[in-house]
Amino acid sequence: MRGKAGLLLAAVLIAGGFTTQATAATKKAPKTTNAAAFKVHGSIGQAYVEDVDSSAKLLLVNRKNRIIGKGKADSLGSKLFRYLKPGKGYTVRQRQGGKVFGSPKFRVLKPGANPKQSFYDNKELHQGLNYVTMRDGVELAMTVRLPAGKTMADGPFPTVIEHSGYQTAAPHDLLNSILSGKSDPLAPSPSTVVGSLLGPQLGFASISVQMRGSGCSGGAFDLFGLPTTYDGYDMVETAAAQSWVKGKVGMVGISFSGISQLFAAGTQPPNLAAVAPMSVTDDLYTATGYPGGIFNSGFALSWITERVDDAKPAPEGGQPWAKELTTNGDPDTTPPNVPDQHCIDNQKLHPQALDALKVIQKNPHRTPRLFRERAPGDWMKHIKVPVFLTGQYQDEQTGGHFPESLKNLEGNKNVWVTMQNGVHTDSLGPKQFTPWIEFINLFVADRIPVVPPLVSGVLYGSLAGPSAPVEQSRYAGMTDVPAARAAFEKDYPRFRLLMDNGAGPWGLGAQGATWEMKSSSWPPKRVKPKRFVLGKRGKLGGKKPRRASKVKYVADPDARPLTNLVSGSVNPPQPNLLWAPIAKRKGVGFTSSAVSNDVVIAGPSSLDLWVKSSRRDTDFQATISEVRPDGNETYVQSGWLRASHRKLDRKRSSAIDPFPTHLKRDARRMPKRKYQKVRIPIYPVTHAFRKGSKIRVTVSAVGGDRSEWEFATLDKGKTKNTISIGGKRPSRLVLPVLAGADAQGTPLPAPTALRAEPNRTYVKASNGG
């Protein structure tokens, strides 16, 4: 999926299609002669029309009676206008048969102008599938799942919400589906296991909310657009208003439903108690969609394609449960073959989901107005409730860029972040699982946390596979909840850095860290930039060579596999990975001498190159690894950069953390036959290089170092890149070395032990490093 595959881009990563449909007012609108039969609603920055029975153009008219938008309804009789200024006095009109049919005047809603409490008090949720109207009239499907073995009469219950675009609100029981071994189209996706299964088993009522524009929810899919974000506010306040809900509610979930929490919490719902996001991204462009400005044509493209398919109207398309309910209904709640009319009606706006291809073609750079409202990291600035966040540096799906956003939580004192090496699902690892249970019990349920034997035993084992044992809560024997909460706040650091996940005695590569570090900040305050000069014959470190020299390589993406995953999944303790060495003359490597003491890094890194290229643009991949005394080489972390995206945001950049703007106005082609300084940002990581090991950095074309990321690269195997060594243009690797830190006496892990850190036999690159 190289090259033009990138055009199929994560428009959905931005899924908001930024082709403006509401244009500047240019023409006076025709006078209304008849009341329209179609329905019109104002949303946040949008307006949507339903039940249009004519192919004639719809005219969007502002309060000054000027036409500001035009368009025809789709095959389901719907039309959505985007990018409207908030305010009143809008109407939609349509000429037909010499008459002008007009809607009543309506208001386009403003972000943050939230409904009164009475709007939520009038809504009632019952056990099972519900349809709940949001502030803009769109219905969302919400399924209430009670604690295991409980009925409504046993309430009130502590309650959590899981909000996702995956198959979330499907009303059947996920555990029954798993135990039966049969596929149930009306069961939620396993990706929603945190809310749909673990929540009820831990004694919480769980509300599974289907994201707008997907499944049986109404509206048009727009990935993290403002209407979706403020659905988060509305669902929290609706849940908290229920008589069977105890106190304020929390939010839980991993991946999609982890990211959605950051948006919802950023809207500051008054009745949100806490959030516990797992495996998140911080920016849809920089972190996941366009690492270094290069389109992620692997996971990002496939993920967004799936979301677009999910958003298609059922029963012809869409999610399995929507197809089933729009065709046959749910035999558990209705007579056979009785379709769910709510689900049918809610498909009307699904065709108005945005065209991802058009968006990407027009936005290959980071378009601020497109990405600003869709950046989870920016919404984190506004989160005031307690946060328990977990994630992995080598996450093969959302990526390991999320630590870059943690500074946005500095104003919130109740934050606990756990990070480690590992894959996407390792956020549910045994070292975080018990603290997560403690957090949601203490900060949402307001009760003493206890880990049920069923959850810590058979259930966890079936979900996680081989791992360290899940421990009982250290607070299980206490009776005073405030005292337990105070103990939690004291016992767990703000940043808990788990080390060597996979290297424990529970099996080679089994989940579980063997040691950890604590910090009150990220990166830790004791981190100091340490510069390693790139030297002759592939040497890394030491004195800067006085005389200038150079090394060359051909940027040939075909010289590397697309990914390092041969087959299967990355989740098992020993996945089928092949981390290929640098091919002859297709990359360069620089390797230090053996370190005399442990070297611990914690934070992002920077590879600062003076480079010239035979082409006006080229893509770089920089990878840090550990060359071990036994001749093996262990992957640590990577970074990427398209050379034309090299302009840095000076306010955000530092010695260890170059931060490209990725703005179109800052794009610059490489100069002809001249050296140019290029700083390649390498994603954050913590890692301990053991005494006797060597630190290595390689530079090559993109690809082959990640398990599910592929890249739509510019390079075709003919680009020749030249790196300056020493003299007036010294190239350097800058690492975030944690002063005074060591591996706490733990041994060097076995070669294939560390999760998401593949191993290969060390082979020198053509330049000797």
Side-chain angles (χ1 to χ4, degrees), residues 56-75:
K57 276 188 178 180
L58 296 166
L59 307 176
L60 178 65
V61 180
N62 66 12
R63 63 185 299 179
K64 295 181 180 181
N65 201 40
R66 295 286 175 174
I67 299 172
I68 61 169
K70 299 178 182 180
K72 292 184 178 181
D74 57 38
S75 60

mmCIF file with all atom_site columns, all heavy atoms in Angstrom, residues 56-75:
data_model
loop_
_atom_site.group_PDB
_atom_site.id
_atom_site.type_symbol
_atom_site.label_atom_id
_atom_site.label_alt_id
_atom_site.label_comp_id
_atom_site.label_asym_id
_atom_site.label_entity_id
_atom_site.label_seq_id
_atom_site.pdbx_PDB_ins_code
_atom_site.Cartn_x
_atom_site.Cartn_y
_atom_site.Cartn_z
_atom_site.occupancy
_atom_site.B_iso_or_equiv
_atom_site.pdbx_formal_charge
_atom_site.auth_seq_id
_atom_site.auth_comp_id
_atom_site.auth_asym_id
_atom_site.auth_atom_id
_atom_site.pdbx_PDB_model_num
ATOM 1   N N   . ALA A 1 56 ? -35.281 18.046 -5.978 1.00 0.00 ? 56 ALA A N   1
ATOM 2   C CA  . ALA A 1 56 ? -34.946 19.460 -6.168 1.00 0.00 ? 56 ALA A CA  1
ATOM 3   C C   . ALA A 1 56 ? -33.924 19.907 -5.124 1.00 0.00 ? 56 ALA A C   1
ATOM 4   O O   . ALA A 1 56 ? -33.852 19.369 -4.017 1.00 0.00 ? 56 ALA A O   1
ATOM 5   C CB  . ALA A 1 56 ? -36.208 20.314 -6.063 1.00 0.00 ? 56 ALA A CB  1
ATOM 6   N N   . LYS A 1 57 ? -33.137 20.924 -5.471 1.00 0.00 ? 57 LYS A N   1
ATOM 7   C CA  . LYS A 1 57 ? -32.097 21.417 -4.567 1.00 0.00 ? 57 LYS A CA  1
ATOM 8   C C   . LYS A 1 57 ? -32.689 22.006 -3.299 1.00 0.00 ? 57 LYS A C   1
ATOM 9   O O   . LYS A 1 57 ? -33.731 22.656 -3.317 1.00 0.00 ? 57 LYS A O   1
ATOM 10  C CB  . LYS A 1 57 ? -31.248 22.486 -5.259 1.00 0.00 ? 57 LYS A CB  1
ATOM 11  C CG  . LYS A 1 57 ? -30.137 21.933 -6.116 1.00 0.00 ? 57 LYS A CG  1
ATOM 12  C CD  . LYS A 1 57 ? -29.224 23.045 -6.604 1.00 0.00 ? 57 LYS A CD  1
ATOM 13  C CE  . LYS A 1 57 ? -28.075 22.486 -7.424 1.00 0.00 ? 57 LYS A CE  1
ATOM 14  N NZ  . LYS A 1 57 ? -27.168 23.562 -7.899 1.00 0.00 ? 57 LYS A NZ  1
ATOM 15  N N   . LEU A 1 58 ? -31.974 21.747 -2.202 1.00 0.00 ? 58 LEU A N   1
ATOM 16  C CA  . LEU A 1 58 ? -32.305 22.375 -0.927 1.00 0.00 ? 58 LEU A CA  1
ATOM 17  C C   . LEU A 1 58 ? -31.454 23.633 -0.788 1.00 0.00 ? 58 LEU A C   1
ATOM 18  O O   . LEU A 1 58 ? -30.260 23.618 -1.128 1.00 0.00 ? 58 LEU A O   1
ATOM 19  C CB  . LEU A 1 58 ? -32.015 21.412 0.222  1.00 0.00 ? 58 LEU A CB  1
ATOM 20  C CG  . LEU A 1 58 ? -32.862 20.137 0.246  1.00 0.00 ? 58 LEU A CG  1
ATOM 21  C CD1 . LEU A 1 58 ? -32.255 19.127 1.203  1.00 0.00 ? 58 LEU A CD1 1
ATOM 22  C CD2 . LEU A 1 58 ? -34.294 20.458 0.653  1.00 0.00 ? 58 LEU A CD2 1
ATOM 23  N N   . LEU A 1 59 ? -32.044 24.683 -0.276 1.00 0.00 ? 59 LEU A N   1
ATOM 24  C CA  . LEU A 1 59 ? -31.351 25.950 -0.081 1.00 0.00 ? 59 LEU A CA  1
ATOM 25  C C   . LEU A 1 59 ? -31.237 26.234 1.405  1.00 0.00 ? 59 LEU A C   1
ATOM 26  O O   . LEU A 1 59 ? -32.247 26.289 2.111  1.00 0.00 ? 59 LEU A O   1
ATOM 27  C CB  . LEU A 1 59 ? -32.112 27.087 -0.772 1.00 0.00 ? 59 LEU A CB  1
ATOM 28  C CG  . LEU A 1 59 ? -32.461 26.889 -2.246 1.00 0.00 ? 59 LEU A CG  1
ATOM 29  C CD1 . LEU A 1 59 ? -33.297 28.064 -2.754 1.00 0.00 ? 59 LEU A CD1 1
ATOM 30  C CD2 . LEU A 1 59 ? -31.198 26.715 -3.085 1.00 0.00 ? 59 LEU A CD2 1
ATOM 31  N N   . LEU A 1 60 ? -30.028 26.405 1.892  1.00 0.00 ? 60 LEU A N   1
ATOM 32  C CA  . LEU A 1 60 ? -29.814 26.795 3.280  1.00 0.00 ? 60 LEU A CA  1
ATOM 33  C C   . LEU A 1 60 ? -29.773 28.313 3.338  1.00 0.00 ? 60 LEU A C   1
ATOM 34  O O   . LEU A 1 60 ? -28.963 28.947 2.653  1.00 0.00 ? 60 LEU A O   1
ATOM 35  C CB  . LEU A 1 60 ? -28.507 26.206 3.811  1.00 0.00 ? 60 LEU A CB  1
ATOM 36  C CG  . LEU A 1 60 ? -28.130 26.580 5.247  1.00 0.00 ? 60 LEU A CG  1
ATOM 37  C CD1 . LEU A 1 60 ? -29.137 26.017 6.240  1.00 0.00 ? 60 LEU A CD1 1
ATOM 38  C CD2 . LEU A 1 60 ? -26.724 26.079 5.582  1.00 0.00 ? 60 LEU A CD2 1
ATOM 39  N N   . VAL A 1 61 ? -30.630 28.891 4.161  1.00 0.00 ? 61 VAL A N   1
ATOM 40  C CA  . VAL A 1 61 ? -30.816 30.340 4.195  1.00 0.00 ? 61 VAL A CA  1
ATOM 41  C C   . VAL A 1 61 ? -30.496 30.861 5.590  1.00 0.00 ? 61 VAL A C   1
ATOM 42  O O   . VAL A 1 61 ? -30.935 30.293 6.598  1.00 0.00 ? 61 VAL A O   1
ATOM 43  C CB  . VAL A 1 61 ? -32.264 30.700 3.805  1.00 0.00 ? 61 VAL A CB  1
ATOM 44  C CG1 . VAL A 1 61 ? -32.472 32.203 3.826  1.00 0.00 ? 61 VAL A CG1 1
ATOM 45  C CG2 . VAL A 1 61 ? -32.605 30.119 2.434  1.00 0.00 ? 61 VAL A CG2 1
ATOM 46  N N   . ASN A 1 62 ? -29.738 31.965 5.664  1.00 0.00 ? 62 ASN A N   1
ATOM 47  C CA  . ASN A 1 62 ? -29.400 32.528 6.972  1.00 0.00 ? 62 ASN A CA  1
ATOM 48  C C   . ASN A 1 62 ? -30.447 33.556 7.416  1.00 0.00 ? 62 ASN A C   1
ATOM 49  O O   . ASN A 1 62 ? -31.427 33.819 6.713  1.00 0.00 ? 62 ASN A O   1
ATOM 50  C CB  . ASN A 1 62 ? -27.993 33.131 6.963  1.00 0.00 ? 62 ASN A CB  1
ATOM 51  C CG  . ASN A 1 62 ? -27.869 34.345 6.056  1.00 0.00 ? 62 ASN A CG  1
ATOM 52  O OD1 . ASN A 1 62 ? -28.871 34.901 5.571  1.00 0.00 ? 62 ASN A OD1 1
ATOM 53  N ND2 . ASN A 1 62 ? -26.639 34.797 5.832  1.00 0.00 ? 62 ASN A ND2 1
ATOM 54  N N   . ARG A 1 63 ? -30.215 34.153 8.556  1.00 0.00 ? 63 ARG A N   1
ATOM 55  C CA  . ARG A 1 63 ? -31.200 35.064 9.128  1.00 0.00 ? 63 ARG A CA  1
ATOM 56  C C   . ARG A 1 63 ? -31.359 36.345 8.307  1.00 0.00 ? 63 ARG A C   1
ATOM 57  O O   . ARG A 1 63 ? -32.352 37.067 8.443  1.00 0.00 ? 63 ARG A O   1
ATOM 58  C CB  . ARG A 1 63 ? -30.815 35.414 10.569 1.00 0.00 ? 63 ARG A CB  1
ATOM 59  C CG  . ARG A 1 63 ? -29.496 36.165 10.708 1.00 0.00 ? 63 ARG A CG  1
ATOM 60  C CD  . ARG A 1 63 ? -29.106 36.370 12.152 1.00 0.00 ? 63 ARG A CD  1
ATOM 61  N NE  . ARG A 1 63 ? -30.119 37.161 12.869 1.00 0.00 ? 63 ARG A NE  1
ATOM 62  C CZ  . ARG A 1 63 ? -30.031 37.467 14.156 1.00 0.00 ? 63 ARG A CZ  1
ATOM 63  N NH1 . ARG A 1 63 ? -29.003 37.033 14.870 1.00 0.00 ? 63 ARG A NH1 1
ATOM 64  N NH2 . ARG A 1 63 ? -30.965 38.189 14.726 1.00 0.00 ? 63 ARG A NH2 1
ATOM 65  N N   . LYS A 1 64 ? -30.399 36.616 7.420  1.00 0.00 ? 64 LYS A N   1
ATOM 66  C CA  . LYS A 1 64 ? -30.495 37.788 6.552  1.00 0.00 ? 64 LYS A CA  1
ATOM 67  C C   . LYS A 1 64 ? -31.151 37.448 5.209  1.00 0.00 ? 64 LYS A C   1
ATOM 68  O O   . LYS A 1 64 ? -31.119 38.233 4.280  1.00 0.00 ? 64 LYS A O   1
ATOM 69  C CB  . LYS A 1 64 ? -29.104 38.371 6.318  1.00 0.00 ? 64 LYS A CB  1
ATOM 70  C CG  . LYS A 1 64 ? -28.459 38.918 7.583  1.00 0.00 ? 64 LYS A CG  1
ATOM 71  C CD  . LYS A 1 64 ? -27.087 39.499 7.288  1.00 0.00 ? 64 LYS A CD  1
ATOM 72  C CE  . LYS A 1 64 ? -26.447 40.053 8.565  1.00 0.00 ? 64 LYS A CE  1
ATOM 73  N NZ  . LYS A 1 64 ? -25.111 40.641 8.281  1.00 0.00 ? 64 LYS A NZ  1
ATOM 74  N N   . ASN A 1 65 ? -31.725 36.250 5.163  1.00 0.00 ? 65 ASN A N   1
ATOM 75  C CA  . ASN A 1 65 ? -32.432 35.786 3.969  1.00 0.00 ? 65 ASN A CA  1
ATOM 76  C C   . ASN A 1 65 ? -31.504 35.642 2.764  1.00 0.00 ? 65 ASN A C   1
ATOM 77  O O   . ASN A 1 65 ? -31.887 35.875 1.617  1.00 0.00 ? 65 ASN A O   1
ATOM 78  C CB  . ASN A 1 65 ? -33.598 36.717 3.608  1.00 0.00 ? 65 ASN A CB  1
ATOM 79  C CG  . ASN A 1 65 ? -34.635 36.030 2.731  1.00 0.00 ? 65 ASN A CG  1
ATOM 80  O OD1 . ASN A 1 65 ? -34.955 34.852 2.946  1.00 0.00 ? 65 ASN A OD1 1
ATOM 81  N ND2 . ASN A 1 65 ? -35.152 36.734 1.746  1.00 0.00 ? 65 ASN A ND2 1
ATOM 82  N N   . ARG A 1 66 ? -30.264 35.221 3.052  1.00 0.00 ? 66 ARG A N   1
ATOM 83  C CA  . ARG A 1 66 ? -29.302 34.979 1.993  1.00 0.00 ? 66 ARG A CA  1
ATOM 84  C C   . ARG A 1 66 ? -29.011 33.475 1.898  1.00 0.00 ? 66 ARG A C   1
ATOM 85  O O   . ARG A 1 66 ? -28.910 32.781 2.914  1.00 0.00 ? 66 ARG A O   1
ATOM 86  C CB  . ARG A 1 66 ? -27.996 35.731 2.263  1.00 0.00 ? 66 ARG A CB  1
ATOM 87  C CG  . ARG A 1 66 ? -28.166 37.243 2.239  1.00 0.00 ? 66 ARG A CG  1
ATOM 88  C CD  . ARG A 1 66 ? -28.348 37.755 0.836  1.00 0.00 ? 66 ARG A CD  1
ATOM 89  N NE  . ARG A 1 66 ? -28.621 39.191 0.792  1.00 0.00 ? 66 ARG A NE  1
ATOM 90  C CZ  . ARG A 1 66 ? -28.708 39.888 -0.330 1.00 0.00 ? 66 ARG A CZ  1
ATOM 91  N NH1 . ARG A 1 66 ? -28.523 39.285 -1.491 1.00 0.00 ? 66 ARG A NH1 1
ATOM 92  N NH2 . ARG A 1 66 ? -28.987 41.180 -0.286 1.00 0.00 ? 66 ARG A NH2 1
ATOM 93  N N   . ILE A 1 67 ? -28.866 32.990 0.682  1.00 0.00 ? 67 ILE A N   1
ATOM 94  C CA  . ILE A 1 67 ? -28.543 31.579 0.478  1.00 0.00 ? 67 ILE A CA  1
ATOM 95  C C   . ILE A 1 67 ? -27.068 31.357 0.805  1.00 0.00 ? 67 ILE A C   1
ATOM 96  O O   . ILE A 1 67 ? -26.191 31.986 0.211  1.00 0.00 ? 67 ILE A O   1
ATOM 97  C CB  . ILE A 1 67 ? -28.824 31.166 -0.980 1.00 0.00 ? 67 ILE A CB  1
ATOM 98  C CG1 . ILE A 1 67 ? -30.310 31.355 -1.311 1.00 0.00 ? 67 ILE A CG1 1
ATOM 99  C CG2 . ILE A 1 67 ? -28.411 29.709 -1.208 1.00 0.00 ? 67 ILE A CG2 1
ATOM 100 C CD1 . ILE A 1 67 ? -30.624 31.156 -2.771 1.00 0.00 ? 67 ILE A CD1 1
ATOM 101 N N   . ILE A 1 68 ? -26.786 30.480 1.741  1.00 0.00 ? 68 ILE A N   1
ATOM 102 C CA  . ILE A 1 68 ? -25.394 30.220 2.122  1.00 0.00 ? 68 ILE A CA  1
ATOM 103 C C   . ILE A 1 68 ? -24.987 28.773 1.840  1.00 0.00 ? 68 ILE A C   1
ATOM 104 O O   . ILE A 1 68 ? -23.844 28.394 2.076  1.00 0.00 ? 68 ILE A O   1
ATOM 105 C CB  . ILE A 1 68 ? -25.147 30.546 3.604  1.00 0.00 ? 68 ILE A CB  1
ATOM 106 C CG1 . ILE A 1 68 ? -26.029 29.684 4.511  1.00 0.00 ? 68 ILE A CG1 1
ATOM 107 C CG2 . ILE A 1 68 ? -25.371 32.014 3.881  1.00 0.00 ? 68 ILE A CG2 1
ATOM 108 C CD1 . ILE A 1 68 ? -25.652 29.760 5.969  1.00 0.00 ? 68 ILE A CD1 1
ATOM 109 N N   . GLY A 1 69 ? -25.904 27.956 1.358  1.00 0.00 ? 69 GLY A N   1
ATOM 110 C CA  . GLY A 1 69 ? -25.567 26.582 1.037  1.00 0.00 ? 69 GLY A CA  1
ATOM 111 C C   . GLY A 1 69 ? -26.621 25.952 0.156  1.00 0.00 ? 69 GLY A C   1
ATOM 112 O O   . GLY A 1 69 ? -27.796 26.315 0.220  1.00 0.00 ? 69 GLY A O   1
ATOM 113 N N   . LYS A 1 70 ? -26.185 25.017 -0.691 1.00 0.00 ? 70 LYS A N   1
ATOM 114 C CA  . LYS A 1 70 ? -27.101 24.317 -1.573 1.00 0.00 ? 70 LYS A CA  1
ATOM 115 C C   . LYS A 1 70 ? -26.730 22.842 -1.615 1.00 0.00 ? 70 LYS A C   1
ATOM 116 O O   . LYS A 1 70 ? -25.579 22.471 -1.388 1.00 0.00 ? 70 LYS A O   1
ATOM 117 C CB  . LYS A 1 70 ? -27.030 24.870 -2.998 1.00 0.00 ? 70 LYS A CB  1
ATOM 118 C CG  . LYS A 1 70 ? -27.385 26.333 -3.154 1.00 0.00 ? 70 LYS A CG  1
ATOM 119 C CD  . LYS A 1 70 ? -27.219 26.770 -4.603 1.00 0.00 ? 70 LYS A CD  1
ATOM 120 C CE  . LYS A 1 70 ? -27.530 28.249 -4.789 1.00 0.00 ? 70 LYS A CE  1
ATOM 121 N NZ  . LYS A 1 70 ? -27.375 28.669 -6.218 1.00 0.00 ? 70 LYS A NZ  1
ATOM 122 N N   . GLY A 1 71 ? -27.709 22.021 -1.914 1.00 0.00 ? 71 GLY A N   1
ATOM 123 C CA  . GLY A 1 71 ? -27.414 20.606 -2.073 1.00 0.00 ? 71 GLY A CA  1
ATOM 124 C C   . GLY A 1 71 ? -28.676 19.784 -2.208 1.00 0.00 ? 71 GLY A C   1
ATOM 125 O O   . GLY A 1 71 ? -29.761 20.220 -1.805 1.00 0.00 ? 71 GLY A O   1
ATOM 126 N N   . LYS A 1 72 ? -28.528 18.586 -2.783 1.00 0.00 ? 72 LYS A N   1
ATOM 127 C CA  . LYS A 1 72 ? -29.655 17.687 -2.942 1.00 0.00 ? 72 LYS A CA  1
ATOM 128 C C   . LYS A 1 72 ? -29.645 16.624 -1.857 1.00 0.00 ? 72 LYS A C   1
ATOM 129 O O   . LYS A 1 72 ? -28.590 16.244 -1.345 1.00 0.00 ? 72 LYS A O   1
ATOM 130 C CB  . LYS A 1 72 ? -29.606 17.021 -4.322 1.00 0.00 ? 72 LYS A CB  1
ATOM 131 C CG  . LYS A 1 72 ? -29.851 17.968 -5.475 1.00 0.00 ? 72 LYS A CG  1
ATOM 132 C CD  . LYS A 1 72 ? -29.888 17.210 -6.792 1.00 0.00 ? 72 LYS A CD  1
ATOM 133 C CE  . LYS A 1 72 ? -30.191 18.152 -7.959 1.00 0.00 ? 72 LYS A CE  1
ATOM 134 N NZ  . LYS A 1 72 ? -30.266 17.421 -9.252 1.00 0.00 ? 72 LYS A NZ  1
ATOM 135 N N   . ALA A 1 73 ? -30.839 16.153 -1.533 1.00 0.00 ? 73 ALA A N   1
ATOM 136 C CA  . ALA A 1 73 ? -30.956 15.074 -0.556 1.00 0.00 ? 73 ALA A CA  1
ATOM 137 C C   . ALA A 1 73 ? -30.434 13.774 -1.169 1.00 0.00 ? 73 ALA A C   1
ATOM 138 O O   . ALA A 1 73 ? -30.429 13.591 -2.391 1.00 0.00 ? 73 ALA A O   1
ATOM 139 C CB  . ALA A 1 73 ? -32.410 14.917 -0.129 1.00 0.00 ? 73 ALA A CB  1
ATOM 140 N N   . ASP A 1 74 ? -29.984 12.864 -0.315 1.00 0.00 ? 74 ASP A N   1
ATOM 141 C CA  . ASP A 1 74 ? -29.496 11.573 -0.793 1.00 0.00 ? 74 ASP A CA  1
ATOM 142 C C   . ASP A 1 74 ? -30.665 10.600 -1.020 1.00 0.00 ? 74 ASP A C   1
ATOM 143 O O   . ASP A 1 74 ? -31.836 10.980 -0.916 1.00 0.00 ? 74 ASP A O   1
ATOM 144 C CB  . ASP A 1 74 ? -28.477 11.000 0.198  1.00 0.00 ? 74 ASP A CB  1
ATOM 145 C CG  . ASP A 1 74 ? -29.039 10.843 1.601  1.00 0.00 ? 74 ASP A CG  1
ATOM 146 O OD1 . ASP A 1 74 ? -30.231 10.475 1.747  1.00 0.00 ? 74 ASP A OD1 1
ATOM 147 O OD2 . ASP A 1 74 ? -28.303 11.087 2.576  1.00 0.00 ? 74 ASP A OD2 1
ATOM 148 N N   . SER A 1 75 ? -30.346 9.348  -1.295 1.00 0.00 ? 75 SER A N   1
ATOM 149 C CA  . SER A 1 75 ? -31.370 8.365  -1.627 1.00 0.00 ? 75 SER A CA  1
ATOM 150 C C   . SER A 1 75 ? -32.315 8.065  -0.465 1.00 0.00 ? 75 SER A C   1
ATOM 151 O O   . SER A 1 75 ? -33.408 7.546  -0.668 1.00 0.00 ? 75 SER A O   1
ATOM 152 C CB  . SER A 1 75 ? -30.707 7.069  -2.095 1.00 0.00 ? 75 SER A CB  1
ATOM 153 O OG  . SER A 1 75 ? -29.880 6.535  -1.068 1.00 0.00 ? 75 SER A OG  1
#
